[in-house]
Amino acid sequence: MESWSVEQVCNWLKQRNLGELVPKFREEEISGAALLALNDRMVQQLVKKIGHQAVLMDLIKKYQQQKSGLESLTYCCETASQKFPEVISGKNLKSFFARHKMLQWTSSYALPDFPYDVKCILAEKKCPDHSMRIRIIEFLQADMTKYLEGSLYPNSQQYNIVVNALLQAYPFLDEDGNGFLLWKRALKDRFKYVRRPIEDDEQVLRNKCKFGHRRGQSRKSSLAENTLDDVQGQVEEEPAHPKGSAMDLHIKWLNREYMKTQRNWEEVDNRMNVTIEIRRKMISDKAPLKDILRLFPFLRCPYQLFREFQLLTHMDIYKKTVEILEIYSENILSLYVVRNNPINIMLQENLKQHTEEDVLKYMKMTAACLLLPEVFGDDSSLFAAVNEEVKAVTPVLEVKNPFNVNSCEFALYIEREELAQLDDCTMALAALVAAFHVFDIPCPKRIHRTLNFLESLVFEVRNPASLPTT
């Protein structure tokens, strides 16, 4: 690194996701030698963002430590090669250095400092829900990238080190003895997800070319009919998938797995990732919903519906919906426009029968969810059918006994057919919003204001739609 030119330093910054610093480094003519000579004060003057300062100083420090370690190791190797020339030479020396580097990484790795809400869940030794698992994985991935000096390609041993550290610190995460494989797969999928949109990183582009990822391939023009072979002809692949191809096998496996009571969810996630292009092509070409669900029945599962939404939007719809209902439920229930609504009256009657704080909160969130269309003056029949038959063809909720903790039922309907059973109002509301996006269904005008309010909060619009004040 000491002999690097300014351009080599700039390329190094790009590879470590610090491309924003390149113009400043060029302006100040920071070569390799100058980079290693930077101290804290210089970095603060050179780099404005605190996050970039921390990453840059960490990278420089690790390089210096690695350099001093390798220098001492080289001395040991030279000494050993004089004593045992037949043992440490050529290929053996290369593997010896690689193993030393791995041992350095192992000894230095420590779990990141998780955010407060994650710490609370882990401190209570509760099994995290889907959204919390995603947050843990995101922090582990970001932390591994820091340890790997910006690289997005950990090796198998490094995945093992991190997952082992997680399960040793929190043994209850090792669910039924299969936790190691599940967490490792989730971590690997997260790295794939981060690498997918990158187009300006040399290491990522080199590996995409090496492993056969292609860009700019041609599409076929006509819409698929009802058979799997016709549908496969629409995928952006070169060459097109023939009958009995890998895509065919993935879809058949998904259909067989869906019929089982005990499912391999790790493999389901993997195969849903592989088949996303053909699925999105069918949806964008307005293939019948029954055909899409026939080939991809796991879209009936709320978890996969939320996962598909996240792949499309990079947003955790379930987590966002929890936040929305917790923040806005009291405000919604206090509005004059809902005061004499039958749902609010039903809520008040049921609140008198319970004293548990969790139950009261759940009831209020349920009522707030169901009253949203009334607040915006929308057609509630296009949002939820409460204790009545579903009549809308667009995504709509069916709700039975909403305030009975023991017998309440929530379900998502599309085209008057039940798509999924849901656990509670939060999951139901998240599924409703996700369904419009995942299946690319236009929002009816008579429910537009309600969904616009929800989507503006989910997508964190700078000036979100607000609740009416009267």
Side-chain angles (χ1 to χ4, degrees):
M1 184 180 278
E2 292 90 337
S3 60
W4 283 2
S5 66
V6 174
E7 280 307 311
Q8 286 176 308
V9 170
C10 291
N11 289 334
W12 177 79
L13 290 171
K14 290 177 184 177
Q15 291 171 7
R16 274 130 188 95
N17 298 324
L18 295 172
E20 291 180 32
L21 308 183
V22 167
K24 189 66 176 176
F25 270 60
R26 282 201 181 112
E27 181 186 336
E28 300 292 339
E29 298 183 356
I30 305 294
S31 64
L35 177 68
L36 294 175
L38 293 175
N39 57 32
D40 290 352
R41 185 179 57 80
M42 292 176 183
V43 170
Q44 287 171 8
Q45 291 178 342
L46 193 65
V47 181
K48 298 303 178 187
K49 293 184 179 178
I50 294 176
H52 287 168
Q53 291 175 12
V55 171
L56 185 61
M57 287 303 298
D58 190 60
L59 290 173
I60 294 171
K61 182 180 177 183
K62 283 184 177 176
Y63 177 81
Q64 291 170 337
Q65 288 175 345
Q66 184 181 11
K67 181 188 170 191
S68 61
L70 288 175
E71 284 175 351
S72 63
L73 178 66
T74 304
Y75 173 78
C76 293
C77 288
E78 288 172 353
T79 307
S81 63
Q82 292 170 5
K83 294 181 180 179
F84 310 104
E86 71 285 355
V87 177
I88 303 181
S89 62
K91 193 173 181 180
N92 289 342
L93 184 61
K94 187 177 179 180
S95 63
F96 189 56
F97 273 98
R99 177 156 179 77
H100 174 76
K101 189 173 182 180
M102 172 57 66
L103 290 172
Q104 272 192 325
W105 201 90
T106 307
S107 61
S108 65
Y109 184 76
L111 286 173
D113 188 21
F114 290 117
Y116 179 73
D117 56 338
V118 176
K119 285 181 181 176
C120 290
I121 293 293
L122 295 175
E124 294 172 4
K125 297 187 177 180
K126 289 182 179 178
C127 250
D129 60 16
H130 173 63
S131 62
M132 193 60 69
R133 289 172 72 94
I134 289 175
R135 295 204 67 199
I136 293 171
I137 288 296
E138 285 174 351
F139 272 84
L140 288 177
Q141 180 269 317
D143 194 59
M144 284 181 74
T145 304
K146 184 189 77 172
Y147 267 85
L148 292 167
E149 300 181 352
S151 171
L152 294 173
Y153 289 92
N155 60 36
S156 185
Q157 285 176 295
Q158 287 162 341
Y159 280 121
N160 293 346
I161 289 164
V162 173
V163 175
N164 274 326
L166 179 69
L167 297 184
Q168 284 176 10
Y170 308 105
F172 58 91
L173 295 178
D174 189 7
E175 303 162 21
D176 302 323
N178 296 319
F180 180 85
L181 293 175
L182 293 174
W183 285 98
K184 184 177 177 181
R185 167 51 59 189
L187 196 53
K188 291 178 82 172
D189 284 347
R190 177 65 190 173
F191 270 96
K192 289 180 186 176
Y193 176 77
V194 170
R195 291 194 300 260
R196 188 179 300 134
I198 293 177
E199 296 183 355
D200 59 352
D201 185 290
E202 290 182 13
Q203 185 190 26
V204 174
L205 291 177
R206 188 167 59 249
N207 279 279
K208 283 183 177 181
C209 291
K210 180 179 177 182
F211 295 107
H213 297 265
R214 298 181 178 89
R215 290 182 294 169
Q217 292 133 351
S218 60
R219 291 174 180 257
K220 300 209 178 221
S221 58
S222 61
L223 175 61
E225 294 295 333
N226 292 331
T227 65
L228 175 60
D229 296 329
D230 289 335
V231 170
Q232 286 173 337
Q234 308 303 314
V235 188
E236 266 184 68
E237 286 288 336
E238 188 178 14
H241 290 292
K243 184 176 180 179
S245 67
M247 190 65 69
D248 191 2
L249 295 174
H250 285 311
I251 293 173
K252 287 179 177 176
W253 185 92
L254 287 167
N255 276 265
R256 286 196 303 270
E257 194 70 11
Y258 184 74
M259 301 304 293
K260 297 179 181 178
T261 52
Q262 303 240 341
R263 295 159 180 165
N264 182 347
W265 288 107
E266 180 187 358
E267 188 62 21
V268 169
D269 290 350
N270 187 33
R271 294 187 188 240
M272 288 292 280
N273 283 349
V274 172
T275 57
I276 189 168
E277 287 187 26
I278 192 171
R279 192 162 56 253
R280 300 318 307 169
K281 176 63 177 171
M282 287 181 70
I283 291 170
S284 66
D285 286 335
K286 305 301 179 186
L289 181 65
K290 63 179 181 180
D291 290 343
I292 297 166
L293 296 175
R294 178 170 58 84
L295 296 180
F296 303 102
F298 278 100
L299 287 178
R300 294 179 177 275
C301 301
Y303 161 74
Q304 286 298 333
L305 189 65
F306 299 156
R307 193 170 180 274
E308 190 93 350
F309 182 90
Q310 189 161 21
L311 290 174
L312 295 174
T313 66
H314 301 176
M315 288 289 177
D316 186 337
I317 183 70
Y318 182 77
K319 175 189 166 188
K320 290 289 182 184
T321 306
V322 171
E323 292 173 359
I324 291 168
L325 285 180
E326 287 183 345
I327 292 170
Y328 286 92
S329 58
E330 292 289 350
N331 291 341
I332 291 168
L333 296 176
S334 66
L335 292 172
Y336 178 80
V337 70
V338 302
R339 193 161 298 172
N340 297 318
N341 187 278
I343 289 174
N344 199 10
I345 294 170
M346 198 188 312
L347 167 68
Q348 300 306 323
E349 291 173 354
N350 281 273
L351 287 177
K352 298 172 186 176
Q353 301 172 21
H354 297 275
T355 56
E356 301 90 338
E357 187 175 337
D358 289 345
V359 175
L360 299 178
K361 180 181 177 182
Y362 167 82
M363 286 183 176
K364 289 179 180 179
M365 288 172 64
T366 301
C369 170
L370 299 177
L371 287 168
L372 267 173
E374 302 292 336
V375 171
F376 290 95
D378 282 339
D379 186 347
S380 60
S381 68
L382 296 177
F383 186 84
V386 182
N387 293 331
E388 60 184 37
E389 183 183 353
V390 169
K391 296 177 182 177
V393 294
T394 52
V396 66
L397 300 176
E398 182 194 56
V399 185
K400 296 180 180 177
N401 308 317
F403 303 114
N404 188 320
V405 179
N406 298 318
S407 64
C408 59
E409 294 179 15
F410 296 85
L412 175 66
Y413 275 67
I414 304 180
E415 296 179 0
R416 299 193 186 95
E417 296 289 336
E418 184 181 302
L419 183 82
Q421 289 282 339
L422 307 157
D423 293 344
D424 53 35
C425 67
T426 307
M427 184 180 284
L429 187 57
L432 181 68
V433 176
F436 278 100
H437 282 268
V438 169
F439 297 110
D440 195 20
I441 297 171
C443 172
K445 287 184 179 179
R446 289 181 294 155
I447 200 69
H448 174 74
R449 283 170 293 193
T450 303
L451 289 179
N452 182 49
F453 169 74
L454 292 168
E455 288 175 357
S456 71
L457 295 173
V458 169
F459 293 113
E460 299 175 345
V461 175
R462 195 169 285 179
N463 295 311
S466 59
L467 291 171
T469 55
T470 58

